[in-house]
């Protein structure tokens, strides 16, 4: 899901000023955000205590929701620029449409990766005939300056690398992990992995000491470096780790997010990432006038209008706490 809040506020992201250069255990609680009439997500990034993890700059966890008698996810066409969206499911299906003409149903543990580049628009919805439960995460990756004006594109990867050891199955979503590389296009040194742990698992996952990491709990009972992390919460781990102890009290699902700390300072407003006030103002004008971001064909409904810009100027800043 994307940012559908009607009272959007700018987020201050980027810069190395608040990267923790040593191992830490910083538990992040979610902010509950209503999307539409009945849907609610748990927003972990941006967070009052942590704005980014590597290039990961937006994390929503949703479900499991019983949508047997509901329409399920219904996200009308809306724009993006300067980022990649990562759609990741544990249960259910999401039908993706975008302005490049892509039409794809994304299923559990398949990667839906959309690179907005300079401009794209898309919609997300549960198919008319859908599974009873919907459970997943929506994430954004900030594009570095040298790639943020690239052509928009969508990738779907149903066959992803899997790293296994007794008690753990790690599906690589993006970037690299333990010698495996995702087929998804990455523009910064990054890691995204889905970790399925069996009850009683006690394992150590290899990490890159120059990366900063966080772990999002999707389901079950797990301890991450000795800290219990409940579903819908995320533990920030800092840098300087070569391995990560994981222990499961039950079958558990986690997501490992990491990457080289993102140096650039950003403005994130609504569904756009830019570097200046003028870029955001122009993006809003282009979307409202129906130019630049293209058209999503086939969605039964109107596009989302952009929220009003704040009265105070938008300025790129570093990481804040």
């Amino acid at each position: 899901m994307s940012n559908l809040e009607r009272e959007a506020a700018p987020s201050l992201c980027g810069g190395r000023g608040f990267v923790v250069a040593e191992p830490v255990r910083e538990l992040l609680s979610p902010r509950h955000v209503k999307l539409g009439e009945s849907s609610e997500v748990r927003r972990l990034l941006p967070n009052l205590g942590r704005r980014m993890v590597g290039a990961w700059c937006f994390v929503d966890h949703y479900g499991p929701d019983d949508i047997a008698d509901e329409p399920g996810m219904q996200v009308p066409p809306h724009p993006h620029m300067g980022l990649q969206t990562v759609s990741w499911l544990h249960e259910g299906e999401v039908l993706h449409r975008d302005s490049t003409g892509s039409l794809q149903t994304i299923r559990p543990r398949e990667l839906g990766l959309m690179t907005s580049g300079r401009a794209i628009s898309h919609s997300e919805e549960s198919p008319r005939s859908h599974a009873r439960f919907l459970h997943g995460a929506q994430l954004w990756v900030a594009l570095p300056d040298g790639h943020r004006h690239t052509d928009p594109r969508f990738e779907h990867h149903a066959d992803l690398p899997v790293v296994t050891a007794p008690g753990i199955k790690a599906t690589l979503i993006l970037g690299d992990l333990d010698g495996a590389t995702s087929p998804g296009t990455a523009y910064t040194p990054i890691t995204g992995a889905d970790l399925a742990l069996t009850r009683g698992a006690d394992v150590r996952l290899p990490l890159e000491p120059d990366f900063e990491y966080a772990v999002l709990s999707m389901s079950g009972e797990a301890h991450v470096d000795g800290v219990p992390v409940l579903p819908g919460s995320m533990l920030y781990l800092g840098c300087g780790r070569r391995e990560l102890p994981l222990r499961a009290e039950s079958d558990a699902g986690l997501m490992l997010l990491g990457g080289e700390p993102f140096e650039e300072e950003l403005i994130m407003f609504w569904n756009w990432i830019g570097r200046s006030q003028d870029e955001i103002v122009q993006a809003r004008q282009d979307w409202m006038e129906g130019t630049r971001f293209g058209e999503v064909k086939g969605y039964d409904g109107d596009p989302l209008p952009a929220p009003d810009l704040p009265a105070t100027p938008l300025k790129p800043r570093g990481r804040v706490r």
Side-chain angles (χ1 to χ4, degrees):
M1 271 171 228
S2 296
N3 187 1
L4 306 188
E5 291 184 277
R6 301 305 308 139
E7 298 296 329
S11 295
L12 310 179
C13 302
R16 288 178 177 261
F18 283 91
V19 174
V20 180
E22 59 186 14
V24 297
R25 302 173 187 86
E26 183 181 303
L27 191 62
L28 305 179
S29 298
R31 180 166 63 95
H32 294 263
V33 178
K34 279 282 190 182
L35 299 183
E37 294 295 323
S38 57
S39 298
E40 183 178 88
V41 301
R42 291 165 289 279
R43 184 153 299 162
L44 282 309
L45 288 180
N47 190 292
L48 287 176
R50 183 63 49 192
R51 299 301 187 185
M52 298 182 74
V53 178
W56 300 97
C57 60
F58 182 94
V59 177
D60 274 355
H61 173 244
Y62 56 90
D65 295 325
D66 188 340
I67 60 170
D69 300 317
E70 304 290 339
M73 182 184 294
Q74 297 294 322
V75 181
H78 57 280
H80 287 288
M81 73 173 190
L83 57 92
Q84 293 176 291
T85 65
V86 174
S87 298
W88 191 253
L89 290 169
H90 275 196
E91 295 180 271
E93 309 89 21
V94 171
L95 179 61
H96 166 96
R97 305 175 192 264
D98 67 44
S99 54
T100 71
S102 299
L103 176 64
Q104 180 66 54
T105 299
I106 303 167
R107 295 180 172 85
R109 292 178 173 82
E110 298 179 353
L111 172 60
L113 177 64
M114 187 179 75
T115 300
S116 68
R118 60 180 178 272
I120 200 170
S121 57
H122 74 138
S123 64
E124 300 152 291
E125 58 187 310
S126 296
R128 185 164 297 180
S129 176
H130 54 256
R132 176 176 180 178
F133 292 102
L134 181 64
H135 181 205
Q138 181 72 29
L139 312 98
W140 296 356
V141 179
L143 289 171
D145 189 59
H147 296 283
R148 65 191 184 97
H149 299 295
T150 190
D151 292 339
R153 61 182 295 197
F154 178 77
E155 302 171 45
H156 174 246
H157 300 285
D159 187 15
L160 295 168
V162 174
V163 177
T164 60
I168 186 171
K169 176 181 177 181
T171 302
L172 188 56
I173 302 169
L174 201 62
D176 302 280
L177 178 68
D178 196 24
T181 300
S182 167
T185 304
Y187 295 92
T188 58
I190 197 168
T191 294
D194 183 272
L195 311 178
L197 294 121
T198 58
R199 181 179 180 179
D202 192 349
V203 299
R204 290 180 176 269
L205 194 68
L207 301 181
E208 294 290 335
D210 292 338
F211 282 16
E212 59 175 340
Y213 289 95
V215 170
L216 166 67
S217 175
M218 299 285 286
S219 61
E221 300 179 42
H223 287 70
V224 180
D225 197 17
V227 179
V229 184
L230 299 177
S233 61
M234 188 162 73
L235 185 69
Y236 177 71
L237 297 163
C239 296
R241 295 174 181 268
R242 295 189 179 275
E243 60 180 15
L244 179 62
L246 301 170
R247 181 165 54 87
E249 304 299 322
S250 68
D251 289 352
L254 306 172
M255 290 187 74
L256 175 72
L257 306 175
E260 185 176 280
F262 199 81
E263 290 192 27
E264 299 173 36
E265 297 181 345
L266 312 173
I267 296 173
M268 190 163 75
F269 179 77
W270 198 41
N271 293 297
W272 301 304
I273 291 181
R275 303 299 192 275
S276 71
Q277 162 98 6
D278 289 346
E279 288 182 7
I280 302 298
V281 170
Q282 188 64 55
R284 186 183 187 281
Q285 179 180 326
D286 291 345
W287 175 245
M288 296 301 287
E289 292 178 352
T291 62
R292 180 179 164 196
F293 289 95
E295 179 185 358
V296 179
K297 296 181 179 179
Y299 183 85
D300 185 16
D302 295 328
L304 283 174
D308 292 334
L309 291 165
T312 55
L314 300 172
K315 295 181 180 180
R317 299 175 186 262
R319 297 166 183 265
V320 298
R321 294 181 62 85

